Amino acid sequence: MSSQKYQNLDEILRQTVVCILAGGKGERLMPLTEHRAKPAVTFGAKYRVIDFVMSNCVNSDLNKIYIFPQHLNQSLNEHLLAGWNIFHTERDQFMRIVSPQGRVSDAWYTGTAASVHENFHSIGIADPKYVIVLSSDQIYKMDYREVLQSHIDTKAELTIVALPVKQSEAHRYGVLKIDKRRRIKGFVEKPTVPEEIPGRPGESLASTAIYIFNSKTLVETLNQDRAIKTSSHDFGKDVIPRMLRQKRRVFAYLFQDQAGRPKHWVDIGNPDAFFEANMDLVSSRPKFDLYDKSWPWRTCQSPIPPQKFVSRAKIESSVVSDGCVFGNCTIKKAIISPKVKIGDETTISDSIIMGCAQIGDNVRISRAIIDKYSVIPDNTVIDAESTDYQGDFTITPSGIVIIPRKCSEWAGR
């Protein structure tokens, strides 16, 4: 998909690899991550969270991708192999899923930097000049070629993608201080009192944890970090502050429009953020556009039949997938994943219903997340104030009811 704008980057792109960190436990997103890795969680009805960073890579002509999974990664691996087997080895393209190898340590990855350092052997096979390090639990649209061009223009050793956020929310991120040339002069990971952006009261400049390294710099700094026994081997906590103390060339790329407004970027690290990001999709003017033909969002496409309406159903302001069967029900502002069945006289509003869930007759669901394979009996009420569901459930701080994924042990035949 190379355009004239990026023609001079063709050789640079061939010398660039992507490392996608997909190994965190996702404890903040529990119970949605009880049985799966966070990047494998369903988002936007038919996608997995990892599909968005993968689509950004492919749309940016980045086709050399390493993925470093760790905890509960089987469904993630299966999804990637089934849905992302699109790379051509004869064109020097690849997607390689690299689980912990035990080359450096017998333990799980101890930090974000460790997950990259412990895979230097695999990365080194491609011998890249530039390494892009990405998280797999964020929802955004980004052309990484623009960031790479900025990295080259500033002669940076490391470029960090950053954007303005509310100061009251900045304690969740790494906070940057930059000069007029966007060179980073200060970085504090998850500060108690985040520093404001000069001239922008109430805002702080936050890291998105999207990094572009010169490969030589990456090897030097991570080898240094590995030798420090007191390090937590994390980019934000250890590597970046040390690089700044060493006066390395570390620059920011501002993810904002020409008017200085931050572009849409969401870290779905907790259930409330996950819920709000999904609900944005059903609004009349969503911040995140699933329907941009110039930037297709890929996923695994299963052979699923079309939707079926057994009787009269009323569906309003919702995203509905194939394979669903609807009775005489009312649905408003909902995200409905594939192969969901919804019975008669049932009302669902402001909710996410994940794949293969079965919702009975005369059910009332409001502000809830119903995870995959859940079975909701007839005459059940699910909302923060009057839930009478007999199984396990969680209520988040903002009042979202989560019915966890139904899993049962295989008993054989």
Side-chain angles (χ1 to χ4, degrees):
M1 291 178 61
S2 292
S3 65
Q4 187 68 28
K5 179 180 179 182
Y6 299 108
Q7 208 166 39
N8 63 334
L9 269 181
D10 284 351
E11 182 59 30
I12 297 298
L13 292 169
R14 283 192 286 270
Q15 299 174 25
T16 302
V17 301
V18 176
C19 296
I20 299 178
L21 310 184
K25 286 186 176 181
E27 293 175 340
R28 290 190 300 133
L29 197 55
M30 290 284 284
L32 299 176
T33 49
E34 183 177 0
H35 299 289
R36 54 159 85 86
K38 184 160 49 172
V41 174
T42 301
F43 183 89
K46 64 181 291 186
Y47 303 95
R48 305 290 186 102
V49 173
I50 200 169
D51 289 330
F52 297 95
V53 67
M54 288 291 294
S55 295
N56 283 332
C57 288
V58 172
N59 291 336
S60 300
D61 287 334
L62 291 165
N63 297 303
K64 297 180 180 182
I65 302 173
Y66 293 98
I67 300 169
F68 303 144
Q70 190 167 205
H71 302 277
L72 298 173
N73 63 0
Q74 186 59 33
S75 65
L76 174 65
N77 294 355
E78 291 174 357
H79 173 77
L80 290 167
L81 292 171
W84 287 96
N85 189 20
I86 62 172
F87 300 93
H88 301 280
T89 54
E90 69 276 10
R91 298 179 187 173
D92 199 22
Q93 301 176 357
F94 59 80
M95 176 196 67
R96 293 175 183 156
I97 303 171
V98 187
S99 297
Q101 301 294 300
R103 291 182 180 273
V104 178
S105 170
D106 292 333
W108 291 108
Y109 301 142
T110 53
T112 54
S115 64
V116 176
H117 181 267
E118 295 187 23
N119 287 292
F120 272 175
H121 175 80
S122 298
I123 299 169
I125 294 172
D127 191 25
K129 186 173 182 179
Y130 303 101
V131 178
I132 302 178
V133 180
L134 303 173
S135 299
S136 55
D137 55 359
Q138 302 167 349
I139 305 298
Y140 62 97
K141 170 188 172 182
M142 184 181 295
D143 192 334
Y144 301 126
R145 292 171 295 192
E146 294 182 2
V147 191
L148 188 56
Q149 185 67 67
S150 174
H151 179 81
I152 294 167
D153 291 344
T154 58
K155 297 181 173 58
E157 295 181 89
L158 164 62
T159 296
I160 302 174
V161 177
L163 79 170
V165 301
K166 294 179 180 178
Q167 188 182 23
S168 60
E169 300 175 358
H171 64 277
R172 296 185 293 164
Y173 310 110
V175 173
L176 292 68
K177 181 179 180 180
I178 61 174
D179 63 17
K180 293 181 179 179
R181 297 178 301 153
R182 291 184 284 107
R183 186 164 181 170
I184 299 175
K185 296 299 184 180
F187 185 97
V188 181
E189 181 73 3
K190 298 181 180 179
T192 304
V193 182
E195 185 171 348
E196 283 188 334
I197 302 172
R200 298 180 69 157
E203 291 186 335
S204 298
L205 189 60
S207 167
T208 62
I210 297 170
Y211 311 122
I212 296 184
F213 281 92
N214 294 346
S215 62
K216 183 178 179 65
T217 300
L218 181 69
V219 171
E220 289 176 356
T221 55
L222 294 198
N223 281 340
Q224 288 176 8
D225 182 72
R226 170 55 64 179
I228 300 173
K229 294 182 179 180
T230 57
S231 175
S232 59
H233 310 306
D234 186 84
F235 282 114
K237 294 177 182 177
D238 308 288
V239 175
I240 296 170
R242 189 177 304 114
M243 290 181 69
L244 294 178
R245 291 194 298 268
Q246 295 171 347
K247 307 298 182 182
R248 297 270 193 169
R249 293 184 61 83
V250 183
F251 283 77
Y253 173 87
L254 301 182
F255 191 47
Q256 58 188 29
D257 61 22
Q258 294 181 347
R261 295 183 295 259
K263 293 184 179 180
H264 185 66
W265 174 89
V266 178
D267 177 356
I268 55 157
N270 63 72
D272 287 327
F274 174 82
F275 179 83
E276 292 302 326
N278 270 279
M279 288 297 101
D280 167 67
L281 302 177
V282 303
S283 64
S284 57
R285 293 186 178 181
K287 298 174 184 176
F288 188 72
D289 186 5
L290 287 176
Y291 303 94
D292 184 353
K293 293 181 180 179
S294 68
W295 202 265
W297 302 107
R298 294 185 56 90
T299 190
C300 179
Q301 302 285 358
S302 300
I304 300 175
Q307 305 159 15
K308 181 177 180 180
F309 298 88
V310 177
S311 59
R312 189 173 183 178
K314 182 179 179 181
I315 301 177
E316 179 182 341
S317 300
S318 297
V319 175
V320 180
S321 302
D322 285 344
C324 295
V325 179
F326 299 96
N328 181 15
C329 57
T330 300
I331 298 172
K332 183 176 182 180
K333 292 185 179 180
I335 305 285
I336 311 293
S337 290
K339 297 190 285 188
V340 168
K341 295 183 178 180
I342 300 176
D344 294 329
E345 307 304 326
T346 287
T347 300
I348 299 173
S349 63
D350 300 286
S351 295
I352 302 167
I353 314 296
M354 294 189 182
C356 302
Q358 297 186 43
I359 315 298
D361 297 336
N362 195 35
V363 172
R364 302 289 180 269
I365 299 175
S366 177
R367 288 180 59 78
I369 301 173
I370 312 298
D371 208 341
K372 294 181 72 173
Y373 302 108
S374 295
V375 178
I376 308 302
D378 297 348
N379 306 310
T380 301
V381 175
I382 297 177
D383 62 47
E385 297 181 354
S386 53
T387 296
D388 60 5
Y389 179 70
Q390 296 302 304
D392 293 335
F393 65 88
T394 300
I395 300 180
T396 73
S398 70
I400 308 302
V401 181
I402 303 177
I403 306 299
R405 176 173 174 167
K406 180 183 178 182
C407 286
S408 57
E409 293 294 329
W410 182 49
R413 295 180 60 180

